[in-house]
Structure formats: structure tokens, C-alpha cells
Amino acid sequence: MGFKEDLQKLSVQVGERKDYINNEETTKQSLIIPFVQTLGFEVFNPLEVRPEYIADFGKKKGEKVDYALFKDKKPVMFIEAKSVTENLKNHDAQLSRYFNAVPEVKLAILTNGVDYKFFTDLNSENMMDDSPFLTLNIMDLKDSDYETLQKFRKDEFTKEELLNHAEELVYMSALRGTLRNLFKNPNDDFVRFLIKDVSEIRVTSAVIERFRPLVKKAISNTVLDIVSTSLSKDEHLEEPEVIEPEILTEIQETENSQKREVITTQEELSAYDRVVQILGKYGKDISDVNYKDTTIYFGIYRKNITNWFLRFNLDSQTKHIITKLEMDEAKLLSNGFEVGPPQKRNGNSRIYFNSIEDLEKLENLIVKCYDQLK
């Protein structure tokens, strides 16, 4: 039987016994000693387990911790036991005195046989932390609890590993709490960070408020996606709704357009006409090819605005086309024109040119972009 199975067996035993226990001594014998045995310590061997171990602190003499667990003849863990009928809330200080009195000990456990609180000295060496790095209910163990308790087994226990793992648990707990709060109610800084990663628009308070529900929805969809992909394909889970970057872009453009008027120039219309002519020349269906002008770019799409294949920027000193082609493929089709990376997540490549007449030299690239549409 493996360690996890031993703990599961102990969990069942605790559930069966606890209602028949009403004092500390019976709690020790029926619930806590079996836990110590599960960790691999010989409970009747004083070289490994010593009850009523003296841990005097300062002027206070006769202090005794319920159990001291030894490895290589040195104390490594203290266990302070309380009756299964007691709440552990107000007993940390007592355990702290024992822990602080014996520098060799790096793990202190407070338990009533059902609930366990694990302490160490992350904040100040040889001084027990005020808060436990781990709390668990032996009758309701999580997968992560089995993994952690494995590190406390006699054969595997080391002080260095304990401190490293305890520190990880503390940070993980703090990070989970922060992420949980951010996911439930994304704050302005978090929303602003995400907007800047997908767009170049000016982030105002109005933009943040518009994006906040989208961020919450995107987080929810992403979590569902991660969970669903980790499950068996036989469960036939529905694919979660995904918010495409293009849809976000349209919302961004709407917000931006409220600040600046969109003016479609003759040069942009000429670019559209030239693209349509090139596609027609190669026998492509141009009946549903249209354009969308924004304050960020002049886009050409087929059927709907999210199905774009070219985006022009003709307002800047360096005219360029943004495409969904990867950089290497764009270079092969660019007929010697300079190719660079796009900004943010706006396409995959950027081709620089001088005038609308140059589009004739980019026919192969334009047709390839059209052909890539779904």
C-alpha cells in the first residue's frame, strides 16, 4: 500500500472514531499517533518519537511539547495535540514557545486529530511564524496535500526541502488570492495592462469601463478552455466562446472613433480599388470584398470585418501594409520591399512601400493574403 492509500485509510478511520472521543489523551492515541505512524516514524521507539519532550523557553521551565519527532538522533518536528473537541484557534502561542526554544526544529504541527496547522520560521529564523504555511483537514485531503505530506515522511524529510516547499506554499497561496480577486473583479491597472497588450489606443477611464466586462468574460472563457482541454475528449464538452482579437479591435476602434473623426482619404480608396483590380485579374471572387476605415488603419476584408486580409496605414511617413502572413512567407512574396514585425498583436507581418503604384509589384502577396482567408 502506498503513502496516499495509507492517508486515505487514516482519513476513513478518523471519520469513524472522532465522534466517540471527548478528551485529549484519547485523541492522541486514536487519531494523532496513527498519523505519526503514517509518516513512517516508529511511535514506540524513543530514538524517533518522544512524548512530553522538554522544550523550556527562557525563564519558563517545565515546558513540554506533546511529541518530538527525531531523525538521525536530532529533533526535527514538534506536535502539539489538543482534543478533537477543541478549536485550534487560540493555541498557536503555546506551540510557538516550544518551537522557539529548540533551534534544530523547523516544523511545528498543531492538531486536534482532524484539523492540522503546519508552522515554520520563514519570517525570522528560529522564531515560529504567526501564520501556518499549510492547513488541512485529514478527512478532506486535496491532491496537493498528499504531495506536501509526502515531504514530511521520515525517509524524505530535510530541513532545506521543508523551508523551500513552505515558502512556495505561502507564495502560491498569496498569488492564488490575488488572481482570484483579479479574475472576479479586474482592477483598473490589470485591465489597462491587458488593453495595452492588444491595442495601441489611448486608455481612458471610459475605455477601461468598456473593457472590464470583456476582460472578465475572456478570463472565464480561458479558464473553461484550460479545464476542458485537460479532460477526456470522450466527454464531448462544448467549446467555450472565444473572444477573437479582431472583435476586441473593433470595440477599441469604436471607442477611439468617439474621440477622433474617421476620414477616409482618396489615397485609401485608391488602395482599395487597386487591390480589387488585382484580385479580379487573378479570378478571385470580389463580390463581398469591402473596406473598413478606422483611426488606426484602413482594412480590407471579405464578408465580415473580422475576416480581414490587408490593413493599410497610409497616414504615416512610412506607408505599410499589415498582413496575417508569417514574416518568412511575407519576405518571399514582397518582391524586395522591406518586411518587419507588426506592433502588438496586429497581424503577423508589415510590408513597407512608397506609393499606391507599388501595389502592382506586390500582387503575389495580396493574392496569397486573400487565399488564406477561411
Side-chain angles (χ1 to χ4, degrees):
M1 185 179 293
F3 180 62
K4 183 175 182 178
E5 289 73 20
D6 288 340
L7 284 172
Q8 290 172 336
K9 180 180 177 181
L10 174 63
S11 177
V12 173
Q13 290 176 343
V14 170
E16 293 172 344
R17 298 172 181 177
K18 68 181 184 65
D19 292 337
Y20 300 93
I21 301 172
N22 57 15
N23 60 66
E24 183 177 311
E25 190 58 35
T26 308
T27 299
K28 292 178 184 177
Q29 298 302 319
S30 300
L31 306 183
I32 298 173
I33 285 295
F35 173 76
V36 175
Q37 289 176 313
T38 302
L39 293 181
F41 290 87
E42 296 182 29
V43 295
F44 301 113
N45 182 353
L47 294 176
E48 295 188 9
V49 180
R50 298 184 198 176
E52 299 297 312
Y53 184 75
I54 296 176
D56 291 337
F57 183 72
K59 296 180 180 180
K60 198 173 182 66
K61 302 299 181 181
E63 293 276 78
K64 296 180 181 179
V65 65
D66 287 312
Y67 296 103
L69 276 54
F70 284 71
K71 182 176 181 179
D72 299 327
K73 299 183 179 181
K74 295 180 180 179
V76 293
M77 301 184 207
F78 280 166
I79 299 178
E80 181 62 17
K82 299 300 172 185
S83 171
V84 71
T85 59
E86 284 197 53
N87 190 305
L88 300 180
K89 187 174 182 180
N90 299 317
H91 297 288
D92 297 357
Q94 181 183 4
L95 180 60
S96 177
R97 292 199 304 272
Y98 305 149
F99 181 94
N100 299 345
V102 184
E104 298 95 330
V105 173
K106 292 299 177 183
L107 178 60
I109 304 171
L110 178 63
T111 180
N112 59 10
V114 175
D115 297 309
Y116 283 77
K117 298 169 71 174
F118 296 80
F119 297 85
T120 188
D121 57 351
L122 293 175
N123 295 324
S124 181
E125 190 174 5
N126 300 329
M127 299 292 289
M128 193 180 91
D129 297 333
D130 293 335
S131 300
F133 66 85
L134 173 68
T135 60
L136 59 82
N137 184 314
I138 202 70
M139 296 170 56
D140 185 25
L141 294 174
K142 305 176 180 64
D143 287 341
S144 58
D145 294 332
Y146 292 113
E147 179 184 350
T148 298
L149 291 175
Q150 178 82 29
K151 299 180 184 299
F152 302 156
R153 296 190 68 193
K154 182 187 70 174
D155 293 342
E156 299 187 23
F157 181 86
T158 67
K159 294 179 181 179
E160 294 76 14
E161 181 69 17
L162 163 68
L163 292 174
N164 289 337
H165 191 66
E167 190 172 44
E168 286 181 9
L169 290 176
V170 169
Y171 288 141
M172 284 290 290
S173 177
L175 288 170
R176 282 199 303 268
T178 299
L179 289 173
R180 189 181 298 112
N181 291 334
L182 282 175
F183 289 177
K184 289 177 64 177
N185 186 28
N187 61 34
D188 289 358
D189 289 338
F190 186 56
V191 176
R192 183 181 290 107
F193 167 77
L194 293 178
I195 294 173
K196 287 184 176 180
D197 196 43
V198 300
S199 172
E200 300 175 11
I201 65 173
R202 179 170 171 266
V203 182
T204 64
S205 297
V207 171
I208 289 174
E209 290 308 314
R210 180 68 181 272
F211 264 82
R212 199 185 310 277
L214 281 175
V215 169
K216 293 176 70 173
K217 187 174 182 180
I219 290 170
S220 177
N221 287 339
T222 301
V223 172
L224 286 173
D225 191 28
I226 292 171
V227 172
S228 65
T229 53
S230 68
L231 298 176
S232 170
K233 293 181 180 179
D234 294 336
E235 295 185 8
H236 303 296
L237 291 178
E238 292 185 5
E239 288 291 329
E241 179 185 356
V242 177
I243 302 177
E244 297 292 340
E246 288 84 358
I247 296 176
L248 291 178
T249 299
E250 295 306 317
I251 295 171
Q252 297 163 18
E253 292 160 2
T254 301
E255 293 289 346
N256 211 24
S257 297
Q258 294 175 357
K259 303 292 183 181
R260 294 159 51 195
E261 183 181 0
V262 176
I263 300 175
T264 303
T265 66
Q266 185 57 49
E267 188 177 27
E268 289 170 335
L269 292 175
S270 296
Y272 169 73
D273 290 339
R274 192 64 58 91
V275 168
V276 170
Q277 290 172 8
I278 291 171
L279 294 176
K281 173 182 173 182
Y282 283 83
K284 305 300 178 182
D285 182 4
I286 58 174
S287 61
D288 49 13
V289 173
N290 212 326
Y291 67 83
K292 167 75 174 180
D293 196 6
T294 75
T295 57
I296 303 173
Y297 55 74
F298 179 84
I300 300 179
Y301 64 90
R302 186 181 181 197
K303 293 184 180 179
N304 61 73
I305 55 178
T306 63
N307 203 33
W308 65 273
F309 59 98
L310 294 173
R311 285 177 173 173
F312 287 85
N313 189 326
L314 304 176
D315 297 329
S316 65
Q317 292 181 346
T318 54
K319 294 180 173 61
H320 58 267
I321 308 171
I322 298 167
T323 82
K324 294 181 180 179
L325 299 177
E326 297 297 334
M327 290 274 292
D328 290 342
E329 186 173 16
K331 288 178 181 179
L332 291 174
L333 298 171
S334 62
N335 202 16
F337 287 95
E338 180 185 353
V339 178
Q343 292 185 0
K344 306 290 184 181
R345 297 178 181 173
N346 191 8
N348 294 321
S349 57
R350 179 183 301 209
I351 298 88
Y352 296 90
F353 63 98
N354 298 315
S355 67
I356 299 301
E357 285 68 30
D358 289 336
L359 296 182
E360 300 294 340
K361 302 175 184 178
L362 293 170
E363 287 185 350
N364 292 334
L365 181 138
I366 291 171
V367 172
K368 181 63 176 179
C369 290
Y370 176 93
D371 288 340
Q372 274 200 333
L373 293 177
K374 297 178 181 179

